[in-house]
Amino acid sequence: MSDWWHEKTLSELSAEEWEALCDGCAKCCLHKLEDEDSGEVYYTKVRCRHLDEQICRCTDYAHRSTLMPNCIDLRGADWSDIEWLPSTCAYRLRAHGELLPSWHPLVSGSRDSVHLAGVSIRGRAISDEFVHPDGFEEHLVRWVE
């Protein structure tokens, strides 16, 4: 079996391959704040209420854009402007022509490798149900780059 994830561009991926490329870190499900002057994006440890933090998956993935209108569908993303994605994100890595890391589930063969490597948000986030929208700044983190 070939390493299709290194051979194909993002636009060449089938829907199934696209979903498989996600490493399951769930960092994209963290709320982000953008500096209005610099445009710099800061991550918080506040996660979407629809994320199951233990498995780092959306509890209603098929309806996520309806449940959370600001949930971004990366398939339609502008790939020339993806620097807001974490540096470890497989979509960002592949958009830049970089290889997937050894802990990525496609490389390791295990969905748990992202958690074992400490890359996922498992055990490090709080649901947005428990944080007032004006309080997100109190939860800025530096462990997402």
Side-chain angles (χ1 to χ4, degrees):
M1 183 174 167
S2 73
D3 290 348
W4 56 263
W5 52 88
H6 289 146
E7 297 168 2
K8 293 184 175 185
T9 65
L10 292 174
S11 62
E12 295 172 328
L13 298 180
S14 69
E16 184 178 329
E17 291 168 334
W18 180 269
E19 296 301 328
L21 188 58
C22 175
D23 59 34
C25 74
K27 290 175 184 172
C28 60
C29 298
L30 294 173
H31 288 273
K32 298 155 225 34
L33 300 175
E34 183 176 358
D35 184 299
E36 292 178 12
D37 297 325
S38 70
E40 190 168 351
V41 175
Y42 298 93
Y43 279 79
T44 72
K45 67 177 181 179
V46 182
R47 65 169 172 78
C48 173
R49 70 188 62 204
H50 300 288
L51 181 76
D52 180 329
E53 189 179 341
Q54 282 308 109
I55 59 172
C56 290
R57 297 282 178 202
C58 184
T59 57
D60 196 355
Y61 186 74
H63 301 106
R64 69 191 184 282
S65 296
T66 304
L67 294 169
M68 296 299 288
N70 62 345
C71 182
I72 297 172
D73 181 355
L74 290 178
R75 284 234 44 152
D78 175 3
W79 292 106
S80 65
D81 184 31
I82 58 160
E83 299 309 305
W84 60 270
L85 286 170
S87 61
T88 57
C89 176
Y91 300 109
R92 179 175 169 176
L93 291 171
R94 294 304 305 132
H96 290 302
E98 297 177 37
L99 299 177
L100 299 181
S102 60
W103 51 259
H104 191 286
L106 288 172
V107 178
S108 70
S110 169
R111 293 293 309 160
D112 285 331
S113 58
V114 67
H115 308 300
L116 295 172
V119 179
S120 77
I121 71 164
R122 181 188 280 174
R124 300 197 274 182
I126 183 171
S127 175
D128 58 17
E129 297 170 287
F130 306 114
V131 180
H132 189 279
D134 292 338
F136 284 11
E137 286 184 9
E138 298 172 27
H139 298 281
L140 294 176
V141 294
R142 298 234 181 261
W143 46 262
V144 180
E145 298 176 15

